[in-house]
Amino acid sequence: MSLNNSLPRFFRVQQSFPRPQLADVAGRVNEQLAAICGDPAQWTGKSIAITVGSRGVHGIDHITKACVDYFINAGAHPFIVPAMGSHGGATAEGQAAVLDRFGINPQTMNCPIRSSMEVVQVCTAKEGFPVYFDRLASEADGVLVVNRIKPHTRFAGDIESGLMKMMLIGLGKQLGAETYHRVIVNHSFDQIVRSVAHEVVSRCRILGGLAVLENGYEETADIVALPATDIERREPELLRQVKSWMPKLPFDRSELLVIDRIGKDISGTGMDTNIIGRKRNDHAAIDGDSPDIHNIYVRSLTPATHGNASGIGLAELCHQRVIDALDREATRMNCITAGHLTGAMLPIEFASDQLALSTACHLAGFGPPAQVTAMWIRDTLSLGEIECSEYFFQQAQERSDLQILATPSPLEFDAQGNLVERF
């Protein structure tokens, strides 16, 4: 029997999400920084550390440049500090290289990039563990924490991924990130992030935070500056706002999810667990998580992840090219530091898409191919257009939030049995 006969046909839908957009990024940055920084004259001659993380934040080069320009115009001496825990291979050179791939380097930013894995111990937290902070940032007259606010991929609560987490994990570098992930085993994430952020704000000359908010299309929706003492109080409300804009898969249950690519530039877990419904368990939706996906098939790693396949352990199947591109040491280091060992475990690999999809559909149960529920996405950041198996076609026709762009048709494969791209 032909493998194609064991596969469902697929159709394309377009989804609609809330789409607030910020038109003037530089103007908004200037306005917001002026609101929290007070008289610009007070920064004349002062050194200001500006943080940049490792995530693929939309327009982060323009946002960072606007921050640099603000302080240069105030007569200060800004410099940029990579604040990304153990990412970039846990080396100073690797972290500077991550920024360079974002277009952030001394030439484009007109200021130094000061990358180091050295930390200082700020104090001992009330829970008894050491609090670490980037040594170069600790020597600055002021630190501006810049980061995107978004749901965390493993922890749920009022505070997830954002300004406070950057003060905890990002500026703690590898030693801090490893320490805090260990401590979180004994205490809640919420308790530890609040405890560390409180110490950092009170001891490390944090002048404020610049929160980047993105809409469901990964575009900058707003930029909000918070005084250092307001970060803990206001970050939860910004997280709630972002959650209301978040994209999602169009259907709540599916036997198969095909993902073209995963990577650290997509999500900390390679694929966003908030999208795939596996925030609390690597291989199943539990405790109210949605959607409920039976099997996940990953086709490749992004070029920007440079072999770091952290999160590949959430998939049950993958293409051989994923294994071939894998940097085992970088993946191991990242997952050990994060305390997420299963994130580095390997799924079953297949030499072609055709073999992988045929196997996945066989695992969907006893029934005709037309009854297999499946969705196919480029990555968990790109959910505007999605391919869905024909089982969902009638449901899609009845949904006002979905526009059908193409009717069901057979999947096409090249001579090697790999999918002819539809995205």
Side-chain angles (χ1 to χ4, degrees), residues 299-333:
R299 300 183 61 224
S300 69
L301 302 181
T302 65
T305 203
H306 292 270
N308 186 339
S310 177
I312 188 61
L314 278 69
E316 286 76 27
L317 311 92
C318 73
H319 196 286
Q320 180 64 45
R321 69 170 72 91
V322 174
I323 306 300
D324 295 341
L326 183 72
D327 183 329
R328 292 180 183 269
E329 186 56 34
T331 303
R332 282 163 50 89
M333 173 69 74

Side-chain angles (χ1 to χ4, degrees), residues 118-126 128-139 143 166-168 171-173 175-176 179-180 195-206:
E118 293 184 49
V119 293
V120 295
Q121 183 174 337
V122 174
C123 65
T124 299
K126 63 182 181 180
F129 61 88
V131 173
Y132 296 108
F133 195 76
D134 181 280
R135 180 182 65 81
L136 297 174
S138 74
E139 296 170 355
V143 180
M166 177 164 275
M167 289 188 281
L168 176 87
L171 284 165
K173 312 302 280 195
L175 184 57
T179 298
Y180 306 142
S195 179
V196 174
H198 175 77
E199 299 293 354
V200 168
V201 165
S202 63
R203 299 171 185 268
C204 296
R205 294 188 288 277
I206 304 295

Side-chain angles (χ1 to χ4, degrees), residues 11 17 50 55 58 118 133 152 166 170 175 244 263 275 318 364:
F11 67 99
F17 308 115
I50 300 170
R55 301 291 184 248
H58 178 77
E118 293 184 49
F133 195 76
H152 196 280
M166 177 164 275
L175 184 57
S244 73
I275 301 298
C318 73

